Amino acid sequence: REQISICLAAGSKFDTVCVVLTSGGGAVTMYGLAAAQLARVRKAGLRLVVCVDSIAASGGYLMATMANEICASPFALVGSIGVI
């Protein structure tokens, strides 16, 4: 939350926030809170890019869907079969 608040305070509509995400999934509540923080970036009008180098599954995928763009390495696993 603090890092996102800093980005929002310092950023302008011309800036892009880039998040490097690696997650095999986990508890929905934890990822839901993280996804809500990424949604704050979009709501503030900043561009949000999520980069995945290996895996963004389940809750990690939920977080990635908040982005304007998802950049993934060619062999990254990105997706879910059970995101709420």
Side-chain angles (χ1 to χ4, degrees):
R1 178 180 234 178
E2 292 176 18
Q3 290 86 354
I4 294 296
S5 294
I6 291 168
C7 288
L8 296 180
S12 74
K13 65 179 182 176
F14 302 107
D15 291 323
T16 298
V17 175
C18 180
V19 175
V20 178
L21 178 64
T22 300
S23 171
V28 171
T29 53
M30 185 172 59
Y31 285 97
L33 291 171
Q37 294 306 308
L38 295 179
R40 288 177 57 205
V41 173
R42 296 272 313 262
K43 187 175 181 181
L46 280 72
R47 182 169 170 74
L48 177 62
V49 176
V50 170
C51 298
V52 180
D53 62 351
S54 59
I55 187 168
S58 191
Y61 178 67
L62 173 65
M63 289 176 61
T65 62
M66 298 293 113
N68 296 95
E69 181 180 349
I70 300 171
C71 296
S73 67
F75 299 104
L77 300 173
V78 181
S80 182
I81 58 170
V83 170
I84 294 176

